[in-house]
Amino acid sequence: QVQLAESGGGLVQAGGSLRLACVVSGSIFSTMGWSRQAPGKEREWVATITNGGATDYTASVKGRFTISRDNTKNTVYLQMNSLKPEDTAVYYCNARRGALYWGKGTLVTVSS
């Protein structure tokens, strides 16, 4: 059974940083990534990293967020810098191996 466990969320002031981590059980996954859901809004894609290390970001986080992965640990990270109040959301990691699997999320709150 595939399980994804996020960690690293919390409360931070605007301009601060947080690093999220997501440990994925099971074999290596092709694409891993992060999405987020702000209060009252739909879930939106944030960043993706392939097994080869190619990355892509939604426009609103480019230059501020960095996604990375450690295949030896089956872990994907999201380094978030220069955080803004509009980054407040529950952040979900996901991993694809045929099907797309999701974690339960970790809350990030950015105060102004």
Side-chain angles (χ1 to χ4, degrees):
Q1 183 178 359
V2 177
Q3 292 184 327
L4 292 77
E6 301 100 333
S7 63
L11 173 64
V12 64
Q13 288 187 333
S17 299
L18 282 175
R19 188 193 195 206
L20 307 182
C22 176
V23 179
V24 184
S25 65
S27 302
I28 294 295
F29 291 77
S30 57
T31 300
M32 304 175 80
W34 293 89
S35 295
R36 66 186 179 186
Q37 187 166 16
K41 296 187 177 181
E42 294 186 352
R43 190 176 299 189
E44 67 167 346
W45 165 72
V46 174
T48 299
I49 184 166
T50 68
N51 196 27
T55 59
D56 198 8
Y57 301 90
T58 192
S60 62
V61 308
K62 279 184 179 179
R64 300 188 299 122
F65 291 10
T66 302
I67 189 171
S68 61
R69 64 191 285 174
D70 183 340
N71 290 336
T72 65
K73 298 179 180 179
N74 264 7
T75 301
V76 60
Y77 304 95
L78 187 68
Q79 177 67 43
M80 306 185 294
N81 299 327
S82 301
L83 282 161
K84 304 175 181 180
E86 52 263 43
D87 294 317
T88 294
V90 177
Y91 284 71
Y92 300 90
C93 73
N94 58 77
R96 181 175 295 280
R97 189 178 68 208
L100 185 63
Y101 300 89
W102 291 91
K104 294 182 178 181
T106 184
L107 177 63
V108 172
T109 303
V110 184
S111 63
S112 57

